[in-house]
Amino acid sequence: MTEPSRSLPPHPSLEQQKKQAKELLKALRAGDANARERVRRHLPDKRRITLADAQFVLAREYGFESWVKLKAHIGRGAAAVELMLEAGARPGPNLHDAPPDVLAVLRAYGAGAG
């Protein structure tokens, strides 16, 4: 991952990220200076910016090498929480001995031990 200039929300949604990429592209096409600067930071020589480019810029802002890697990250997090919750993982004493990475995922999705 690259150094992020923004952080994913605690419960990232792929749909929300898609919406943000579309909004970035719309702002760029409307001549928004901030949107232009964000895009040029990651795609300085690209002339025609597409939705895929806006998605790439968003992924880079979050510290990912590509949109595909951002999507995979969001999907893994959601899938991991779903599997842990289906397996009976709940806040309480049974989680205090869980590995730190498991606790971090559960906390990020609001299901972890206090």
Side-chain angles (χ1 to χ4, degrees):
M1 287 191 354
T2 61
E3 187 65 32
S5 61
R6 56 191 296 165
S7 299
L8 281 171
H11 307 284
S13 157
L14 184 57
E15 292 307 312
Q16 181 62 31
Q17 301 312 310
K18 288 179 181 179
K19 182 179 176 185
Q20 287 182 14
K22 289 177 184 177
E23 289 170 353
L24 174 60
L25 182 60
K26 183 178 178 180
L28 177 69
R29 290 181 175 165
D32 181 82
N34 181 51
R36 184 173 50 253
E37 192 275 325
R38 289 172 63 195
V39 170
R40 292 298 161 223
R41 186 177 316 131
H42 299 285
L43 297 169
D45 299 324
K46 186 108 189 232
R47 286 177 112 60
R48 184 173 180 273
I49 304 299
T50 65
L51 178 58
D53 296 321
Q55 291 170 335
F56 172 79
V57 168
L58 197 63
R60 296 297 294 200
E61 288 178 341
Y62 284 122
F64 294 89
E65 293 178 16
S66 68
W67 178 252
V68 170
K69 290 188 178 187
L70 172 61
K71 284 179 21 179
H73 175 81
I74 291 171
R76 277 194 306 271
V81 169
E82 187 175 322
L83 287 172
M84 286 186 270
L85 294 174
E86 285 177 6
R90 297 286 182 266
N94 64 319
L95 287 182
H96 290 292
D97 295 325
D101 56 335
V102 171
L103 290 173
V105 169
L106 288 170
R107 283 187 188 111
Y109 285 83

